[in-house]
Amino acid sequence: MLAQARTDWAGWSGHDPRLVVVDDLLDLPDWIRTADRLDVDDVLHVLARLGSPTGGDDIAAAGALVWVLLPGATVVAHRLRDMTPRIDECVAAQLWIEVRSFAWERRRKVAANIVMNLRRGVLRDLGAHEHLRAVDPTWAHAVPLAPEADLWRVLDAKAAEPLAVEAEEELAELLSWAMAHRVIGEHDRQLLVGLAEAACQVAVPRSRQGRSGLCSRAGSSVVAAQHGISAVTVRRRARQSMRALAEAYARQMSA
């Protein structure tokens, strides 16, 4: 696979100039060690797109990305080596899954995201529930189902039903619950609602702004003017409130 990737490198570079940083794929790791992080992310993002089933679906490109990410995967395997004597196999399998399923359409930091998800995936497969409960409450409470389980038919039927609750009603219910349990205060609620409204008004591109657009500079400036505080304060308070909501929800789910 690596030999095929070396052969295809010139063709890939011809179609995307971001790859014109080395003449030979084997020189890429040395270039990565000294290059600017943004430039590295650009190169890895091209490989991620080429190797994704939703992109180029090129197995050789996926293999090239796996090879480049081996140092990070090796660190993960070393740190988790006491969990199983087959840690190398677990990490290798999960690394391939993460590379092939990387969401290149909405994510830019390829190495950081893949290595982080790699570690979580290995822990999940090894049943490290105590660790997952801290870092990923959703997976910690997940229950595996066989493909023929009756619950899948129930879930499919429910998915086909129209939503019973509008998004605005669901948000209002969540914020009311949070205020009743003193997770956030009235001023925090006003800031969050104001940021959501401002994000819609100024058409913030959610995929490229903090917190899905809620902490964008444009939106926070509008809310800051309305409340007579700085935009920095608005973003800080909003991040604190959303963090508190997420933590409270995780505790509620695990109760």
Side-chain angles (χ1 to χ4, degrees), residues 5 13 19 25-27 40 57 65 109 112 119-120 122-124 127 137 149 152 191 196 211 225-227 230 254:
S13 302
L19 295 183
L25 173 62
L26 296 186
D27 295 328
V40 172
D57 199 16
L65 182 56
K109 296 182 178 180
R119 184 173 184 275
R120 289 183 177 180
V122 171
L123 288 169
R124 183 172 63 248
W152 290 119
L191 289 180
R211 306 284 178 168
Q226 294 171 349
H227 291 265
S230 70
S254 62

PDB file of all heavy atoms in Angstrom, residues 5 13 19 25-27 40 57 65 109 112 119-120 122-124 127 137 149 152 191 196 211 225-227 230 254:
ATOM      1  N   ALA A   5       1.167   4.240  -2.728  1.00  0.00           N
ATOM      2  CA  ALA A   5       1.027   5.650  -2.366  1.00  0.00           C
ATOM      3  C   ALA A   5       2.200   6.469  -2.889  1.00  0.00           C
ATOM      4  O   ALA A   5       2.019   7.604  -3.352  1.00  0.00           O
ATOM      5  CB  ALA A   5       0.910   5.788  -0.852  1.00  0.00           C
ATOM      6  N   SER A  13      -0.231  15.263  -6.101  1.00  0.00           N
ATOM      7  CA  SER A  13       0.342  16.609  -6.047  1.00  0.00           C
ATOM      8  C   SER A  13      -0.059  17.438  -7.249  1.00  0.00           C
ATOM      9  O   SER A  13      -0.258  18.657  -7.150  1.00  0.00           O
ATOM     10  CB  SER A  13       1.864  16.531  -5.951  1.00  0.00           C
ATOM     11  OG  SER A  13       2.275  15.795  -4.801  1.00  0.00           O
ATOM     12  N   LEU A  19       0.034  19.556  -1.750  1.00  0.00           N
ATOM     13  CA  LEU A  19       0.927  18.410  -1.543  1.00  0.00           C
ATOM     14  C   LEU A  19       2.318  18.634  -2.130  1.00  0.00           C
ATOM     15  O   LEU A  19       3.207  17.800  -1.925  1.00  0.00           O
ATOM     16  CB  LEU A  19       0.309  17.155  -2.169  1.00  0.00           C
ATOM     17  CG  LEU A  19      -0.995  16.639  -1.550  1.00  0.00           C
ATOM     18  CD1 LEU A  19      -1.418  15.349  -2.242  1.00  0.00           C
ATOM     19  CD2 LEU A  19      -0.861  16.420  -0.056  1.00  0.00           C
ATOM     20  N   LEU A  25       6.883  10.749  -1.082  1.00  0.00           N
ATOM     21  CA  LEU A  25       6.080  10.547   0.133  1.00  0.00           C
ATOM     22  C   LEU A  25       6.949  10.201   1.333  1.00  0.00           C
ATOM     23  O   LEU A  25       6.655  10.616   2.459  1.00  0.00           O
ATOM     24  CB  LEU A  25       5.054   9.430  -0.116  1.00  0.00           C
ATOM     25  CG  LEU A  25       4.240   8.979   1.095  1.00  0.00           C
ATOM     26  CD1 LEU A  25       3.387  10.120   1.636  1.00  0.00           C
ATOM     27  CD2 LEU A  25       3.364   7.777   0.721  1.00  0.00           C
ATOM     28  N   LEU A  26       8.027   9.463   1.123  1.00  0.00           N
ATOM     29  CA  LEU A  26       8.885   9.048   2.239  1.00  0.00           C
ATOM     30  C   LEU A  26       9.578  10.233   2.916  1.00  0.00           C
ATOM     31  O   LEU A  26      10.072  10.102   4.033  1.00  0.00           O
ATOM     32  CB  LEU A  26       9.936   8.040   1.761  1.00  0.00           C
ATOM     33  CG  LEU A  26       9.398   6.704   1.247  1.00  0.00           C
ATOM     34  CD1 LEU A  26      10.554   5.761   0.946  1.00  0.00           C
ATOM     35  CD2 LEU A  26       8.441   6.074   2.249  1.00  0.00           C
ATOM     36  N   ASP A  27       9.608  11.378   2.246  1.00  0.00           N
ATOM     37  CA  ASP A  27      10.215  12.568   2.841  1.00  0.00           C
ATOM     38  C   ASP A  27       9.212  13.380   3.666  1.00  0.00           C
ATOM     39  O   ASP A  27       9.589  14.358   4.317  1.00  0.00           O
ATOM     40  CB  ASP A  27      10.787  13.479   1.736  1.00  0.00           C
ATOM     41  CG  ASP A  27      11.926  12.818   0.989  1.00  0.00           C
ATOM     42  OD1 ASP A  27      12.656  12.039   1.622  1.00  0.00           O
ATOM     43  OD2 ASP A  27      12.078  13.086  -0.223  1.00  0.00           O
ATOM     44  N   VAL A  40       0.932  21.753   7.781  1.00  0.00           N
ATOM     45  CA  VAL A  40       0.838  20.303   8.011  1.00  0.00           C
ATOM     46  C   VAL A  40      -0.615  19.859   7.954  1.00  0.00           C
ATOM     47  O   VAL A  40      -0.952  18.844   7.323  1.00  0.00           O
ATOM     48  CB  VAL A  40       1.470  19.931   9.365  1.00  0.00           C
ATOM     49  CG1 VAL A  40       1.198  18.458   9.684  1.00  0.00           C
ATOM     50  CG2 VAL A  40       2.973  20.191   9.352  1.00  0.00           C
ATOM     51  N   ASP A  57     -12.020   8.069  -1.798  1.00  0.00           N
ATOM     52  CA  ASP A  57     -12.109   6.618  -1.537  1.00  0.00           C
ATOM     53  C   ASP A  57     -10.876   5.885  -2.062  1.00  0.00           C
ATOM     54  O   ASP A  57     -10.977   4.807  -2.648  1.00  0.00           O
ATOM     55  CB  ASP A  57     -13.383   6.055  -2.159  1.00  0.00           C
ATOM     56  CG  ASP A  57     -13.765   4.704  -1.546  1.00  0.00           C
ATOM     57  OD1 ASP A  57     -13.238   4.373  -0.463  1.00  0.00           O
ATOM     58  OD2 ASP A  57     -14.592   3.994  -2.147  1.00  0.00           O
ATOM     59  N   LEU A  65      -1.848   8.161   5.028  1.00  0.00           N
ATOM     60  CA  LEU A  65      -2.181   8.931   6.233  1.00  0.00           C
ATOM     61  C   LEU A  65      -1.945   8.101   7.488  1.00  0.00           C
ATOM     62  O   LEU A  65      -1.429   8.608   8.489  1.00  0.00           O
ATOM     63  CB  LEU A  65      -3.633   9.408   6.154  1.00  0.00           C
ATOM     64  CG  LEU A  65      -4.114  10.276   7.321  1.00  0.00           C
ATOM     65  CD1 LEU A  65      -3.221  11.497   7.511  1.00  0.00           C
ATOM     66  CD2 LEU A  65      -5.562  10.710   7.103  1.00  0.00           C
ATOM     67  N   LYS A 109      -8.214  19.896  11.784  1.00  0.00           N
ATOM     68  CA  LYS A 109      -7.061  19.389  12.522  1.00  0.00           C
ATOM     69  C   LYS A 109      -7.065  17.858  12.481  1.00  0.00           C
ATOM     70  O   LYS A 109      -7.627  17.195  13.348  1.00  0.00           O
ATOM     71  CB  LYS A 109      -7.073  19.911  13.954  1.00  0.00           C
ATOM     72  CG  LYS A 109      -6.922  21.432  14.030  1.00  0.00           C
ATOM     73  CD  LYS A 109      -6.880  21.913  15.470  1.00  0.00           C
ATOM     74  CE  LYS A 109      -6.679  23.415  15.524  1.00  0.00           C
ATOM     75  NZ  LYS A 109      -6.636  23.922  16.920  1.00  0.00           N
ATOM     76  N   ALA A 112      -4.583  15.783  15.332  1.00  0.00           N
ATOM     77  CA  ALA A 112      -5.068  15.938  16.701  1.00  0.00           C
ATOM     78  C   ALA A 112      -6.379  15.198  16.911  1.00  0.00           C
ATOM     79  O   ALA A 112      -6.556  14.484  17.915  1.00  0.00           O
ATOM     80  CB  ALA A 112      -5.240  17.422  17.031  1.00  0.00           C
ATOM     81  N   ARG A 119      -7.573   7.050  20.763  1.00  0.00           N
ATOM     82  CA  ARG A 119      -7.442   6.635  22.167  1.00  0.00           C
ATOM     83  C   ARG A 119      -8.806   6.294  22.763  1.00  0.00           C
ATOM     84  O   ARG A 119      -8.965   5.288  23.443  1.00  0.00           O
ATOM     85  CB  ARG A 119      -6.766   7.748  22.964  1.00  0.00           C
ATOM     86  CG  ARG A 119      -6.483   7.389  24.419  1.00  0.00           C
ATOM     87  CD  ARG A 119      -5.665   8.480  25.101  1.00  0.00           C
ATOM     88  NE  ARG A 119      -5.310   8.115  26.453  1.00  0.00           N
ATOM     89  CZ  ARG A 119      -6.106   8.306  27.515  1.00  0.00           C
ATOM     90  NH1 ARG A 119      -7.296   8.876  27.343  1.00  0.00           N
ATOM     91  NH2 ARG A 119      -5.723   7.936  28.715  1.00  0.00           N
ATOM     92  N   ARG A 120      -9.800   7.147  22.481  1.00  0.00           N
ATOM     93  CA  ARG A 120     -11.142   6.881  23.004  1.00  0.00           C
ATOM     94  C   ARG A 120     -11.712   5.583  22.440  1.00  0.00           C
ATOM     95  O   ARG A 120     -12.351   4.810  23.155  1.00  0.00           O
ATOM     96  CB  ARG A 120     -12.065   8.047  22.664  1.00  0.00           C
ATOM     97  CG  ARG A 120     -11.771   9.309  23.462  1.00  0.00           C
ATOM     98  CD  ARG A 120     -12.776  10.388  23.119  1.00  0.00           C
ATOM     99  NE  ARG A 120     -12.559  11.587  23.909  1.00  0.00           N
ATOM    100  CZ  ARG A 120     -13.287  12.695  23.819  1.00  0.00           C
ATOM    101  NH1 ARG A 120     -14.288  12.739  22.950  1.00  0.00           N
ATOM    102  NH2 ARG A 120     -13.035  13.742  24.579  1.00  0.00           N
ATOM    103  N   VAL A 122     -10.084   2.929  21.344  1.00  0.00           N
ATOM    104  CA  VAL A 122      -9.412   1.767  21.919  1.00  0.00           C
ATOM    105  C   VAL A 122      -9.934   1.507  23.337  1.00  0.00           C
ATOM    106  O   VAL A 122     -10.227   0.366  23.710  1.00  0.00           O
ATOM    107  CB  VAL A 122      -7.884   1.971  21.923  1.00  0.00           C
ATOM    108  CG1 VAL A 122      -7.195   0.864  22.708  1.00  0.00           C
ATOM    109  CG2 VAL A 122      -7.349   1.996  20.499  1.00  0.00           C
ATOM    110  N   LEU A 123     -10.054   2.565  24.133  1.00  0.00           N
ATOM    111  CA  LEU A 123     -10.583   2.411  25.489  1.00  0.00           C
ATOM    112  C   LEU A 123     -12.004   1.852  25.462  1.00  0.00           C
ATOM    113  O   LEU A 123     -12.367   1.005  26.285  1.00  0.00           O
ATOM    114  CB  LEU A 123     -10.558   3.756  26.219  1.00  0.00           C
ATOM    115  CG  LEU A 123      -9.177   4.264  26.643  1.00  0.00           C
ATOM    116  CD1 LEU A 123      -9.260   5.709  27.110  1.00  0.00           C
ATOM    117  CD2 LEU A 123      -8.595   3.383  27.749  1.00  0.00           C
ATOM    118  N   ARG A 124     -12.791   2.328  24.503  1.00  0.00           N
ATOM    119  CA  ARG A 124     -14.164   1.837  24.387  1.00  0.00           C
ATOM    120  C   ARG A 124     -14.171   0.347  24.052  1.00  0.00           C
ATOM    121  O   ARG A 124     -14.916  -0.431  24.652  1.00  0.00           O
ATOM    122  CB  ARG A 124     -14.888   2.637  23.311  1.00  0.00           C
ATOM    123  CG  ARG A 124     -16.350   2.261  23.141  1.00  0.00           C
ATOM    124  CD  ARG A 124     -17.048   3.219  22.194  1.00  0.00           C
ATOM    125  NE  ARG A 124     -16.503   3.166  20.851  1.00  0.00           N
ATOM    126  CZ  ARG A 124     -15.825   4.146  20.266  1.00  0.00           C
ATOM    127  NH1 ARG A 124     -15.561   5.257  20.923  1.00  0.00           N
ATOM    128  NH2 ARG A 124     -15.380   4.028  19.026  1.00  0.00           N
ATOM    129  N   GLY A 127     -13.350  -1.851  26.918  1.00  0.00           N
ATOM    130  CA  GLY A 127     -14.285  -1.835  28.033  1.00  0.00           C
ATOM    131  C   GLY A 127     -13.808  -1.060  29.237  1.00  0.00           C
ATOM    132  O   GLY A 127     -14.145  -1.417  30.382  1.00  0.00           O
ATOM    133  N   PRO A 137     -19.374  10.340  28.674  1.00  0.00           N
ATOM    134  CA  PRO A 137     -20.505   9.719  29.370  1.00  0.00           C
ATOM    135  C   PRO A 137     -21.454   8.981  28.439  1.00  0.00           C
ATOM    136  O   PRO A 137     -22.047   7.974  28.825  1.00  0.00           O
ATOM    137  CB  PRO A 137     -21.201  10.916  30.039  1.00  0.00           C
ATOM    138  CG  PRO A 137     -20.152  11.970  30.129  1.00  0.00           C
ATOM    139  CD  PRO A 137     -19.281  11.782  28.924  1.00  0.00           C
ATOM    140  N   ALA A 149     -31.878  -7.211  16.719  1.00  0.00           N
ATOM    141  CA  ALA A 149     -32.633  -6.852  17.924  1.00  0.00           C
ATOM    142  C   ALA A 149     -33.911  -6.090  17.566  1.00  0.00           C
ATOM    143  O   ALA A 149     -33.939  -5.273  16.643  1.00  0.00           O
ATOM    144  CB  ALA A 149     -31.774  -6.010  18.859  1.00  0.00           C
ATOM    145  N   TRP A 152     -34.213  -2.084  17.191  1.00  0.00           N
ATOM    146  CA  TRP A 152     -33.887  -1.336  15.979  1.00  0.00           C
ATOM    147  C   TRP A 152     -35.160  -0.985  15.214  1.00  0.00           C
ATOM    148  O   TRP A 152     -35.287   0.117  14.668  1.00  0.00           O
ATOM    149  CB  TRP A 152     -32.952  -2.155  15.081  1.00  0.00           C
ATOM    150  CG  TRP A 152     -31.573  -2.301  15.625  1.00  0.00           C
ATOM    151  CD1 TRP A 152     -30.940  -3.465  15.959  1.00  0.00           C
ATOM    152  CD2 TRP A 152     -30.639  -1.255  15.918  1.00  0.00           C
ATOM    153  NE1 TRP A 152     -29.683  -3.208  16.445  1.00  0.00           N
ATOM    154  CE2 TRP A 152     -29.462  -1.868  16.428  1.00  0.00           C
ATOM    155  CE3 TRP A 152     -30.686   0.129  15.806  1.00  0.00           C
ATOM    156  CZ2 TRP A 152     -28.354  -1.134  16.816  1.00  0.00           C
ATOM    157  CZ3 TRP A 152     -29.579   0.873  16.196  1.00  0.00           C
ATOM    158  CH2 TRP A 152     -28.429   0.232  16.686  1.00  0.00           C
ATOM    159  N   LEU A 191     -28.070  35.933  27.854  1.00  0.00           N
ATOM    160  CA  LEU A 191     -26.909  35.982  26.974  1.00  0.00           C
ATOM    161  C   LEU A 191     -26.941  34.852  25.947  1.00  0.00           C
ATOM    162  O   LEU A 191     -26.681  35.069  24.758  1.00  0.00           O
ATOM    163  CB  LEU A 191     -25.618  35.909  27.792  1.00  0.00           C
ATOM    164  CG  LEU A 191     -25.248  37.124  28.639  1.00  0.00           C
ATOM    165  CD1 LEU A 191     -23.945  36.874  29.391  1.00  0.00           C
ATOM    166  CD2 LEU A 191     -25.117  38.375  27.779  1.00  0.00           C
ATOM    167  N   ALA A 196     -27.809  33.167  20.341  1.00  0.00           N
ATOM    168  CA  ALA A 196     -28.459  32.313  19.339  1.00  0.00           C
ATOM    169  C   ALA A 196     -29.204  33.171  18.317  1.00  0.00           C
ATOM    170  O   ALA A 196     -29.129  32.924  17.102  1.00  0.00           O
ATOM    171  CB  ALA A 196     -29.414  31.348  20.027  1.00  0.00           C
ATOM    172  N   ARG A 211     -18.132  27.173  19.151  1.00  0.00           N
ATOM    173  CA  ARG A 211     -19.381  26.695  19.742  1.00  0.00           C
ATOM    174  C   ARG A 211     -20.540  26.746  18.747  1.00  0.00           C
ATOM    175  O   ARG A 211     -21.619  27.233  19.047  1.00  0.00           O
ATOM    176  CB  ARG A 211     -19.729  27.512  20.990  1.00  0.00           C
ATOM    177  CG  ARG A 211     -18.621  27.555  22.033  1.00  0.00           C
ATOM    178  CD  ARG A 211     -18.527  26.275  22.795  1.00  0.00           C
ATOM    179  NE  ARG A 211     -17.436  26.299  23.767  1.00  0.00           N
ATOM    180  CZ  ARG A 211     -17.265  25.413  24.729  1.00  0.00           C
ATOM    181  NH1 ARG A 211     -18.116  24.424  24.863  1.00  0.00           N
ATOM    182  NH2 ARG A 211     -16.257  25.492  25.556  1.00  0.00           N
ATOM    183  N   ALA A 225     -23.263  44.871  22.885  1.00  0.00           N
ATOM    184  CA  ALA A 225     -23.837  46.217  22.778  1.00  0.00           C
ATOM    185  C   ALA A 225     -25.196  46.295  23.460  1.00  0.00           C
ATOM    186  O   ALA A 225     -25.549  47.306  24.078  1.00  0.00           O
ATOM    187  CB  ALA A 225     -23.963  46.601  21.304  1.00  0.00           C
ATOM    188  N   GLN A 226     -25.961  45.224  23.394  1.00  0.00           N
ATOM    189  CA  GLN A 226     -27.280  45.197  24.010  1.00  0.00           C
ATOM    190  C   GLN A 226     -27.209  45.205  25.537  1.00  0.00           C
ATOM    191  O   GLN A 226     -28.061  45.778  26.200  1.00  0.00           O
ATOM    192  CB  GLN A 226     -28.050  43.956  23.549  1.00  0.00           C
ATOM    193  CG  GLN A 226     -28.386  43.945  22.060  1.00  0.00           C
ATOM    194  CD  GLN A 226     -28.957  42.620  21.615  1.00  0.00           C
ATOM    195  OE1 GLN A 226     -28.922  41.629  22.346  1.00  0.00           O
ATOM    196  NE2 GLN A 226     -29.490  42.593  20.388  1.00  0.00           N
ATOM    197  N   HIS A 227     -26.153  44.583  26.089  1.00  0.00           N
ATOM    198  CA  HIS A 227     -26.049  44.437  27.547  1.00  0.00           C
ATOM    199  C   HIS A 227     -25.029  45.391  28.173  1.00  0.00           C
ATOM    200  O   HIS A 227     -24.847  45.379  29.396  1.00  0.00           O
ATOM    201  CB  HIS A 227     -25.688  42.990  27.900  1.00  0.00           C
ATOM    202  CG  HIS A 227     -26.787  42.011  27.633  1.00  0.00           C
ATOM    203  ND1 HIS A 227     -27.680  41.609  28.600  1.00  0.00           N
ATOM    204  CD2 HIS A 227     -27.145  41.359  26.494  1.00  0.00           C
ATOM    205  CE1 HIS A 227     -28.536  40.748  28.086  1.00  0.00           C
ATOM    206  NE2 HIS A 227     -28.235  40.569  26.807  1.00  0.00           N
ATOM    207  N   SER A 230     -18.404  43.981  27.449  1.00  0.00           N
ATOM    208  CA  SER A 230     -17.494  43.723  26.340  1.00  0.00           C
ATOM    209  C   SER A 230     -17.825  42.403  25.654  1.00  0.00           C
ATOM    210  O   SER A 230     -18.405  41.484  26.266  1.00  0.00           O
ATOM    211  CB  SER A 230     -16.046  43.685  26.836  1.00  0.00           C
ATOM    212  OG  SER A 230     -15.814  42.529  27.619  1.00  0.00           O
ATOM    213  N   SER A 254     -26.220  10.194  33.974  1.00  0.00           N
ATOM    214  CA  SER A 254     -25.557   9.114  34.709  1.00  0.00           C
ATOM    215  C   SER A 254     -26.221   8.806  36.032  1.00  0.00           C
ATOM    216  O   SER A 254     -25.825   7.877  36.726  1.00  0.00           O
ATOM    217  CB  SER A 254     -24.078   9.480  34.940  1.00  0.00           C
ATOM    218  OG  SER A 254     -23.978  10.659  35.721  1.00  0.00           O
TER     219      SER A 254
END
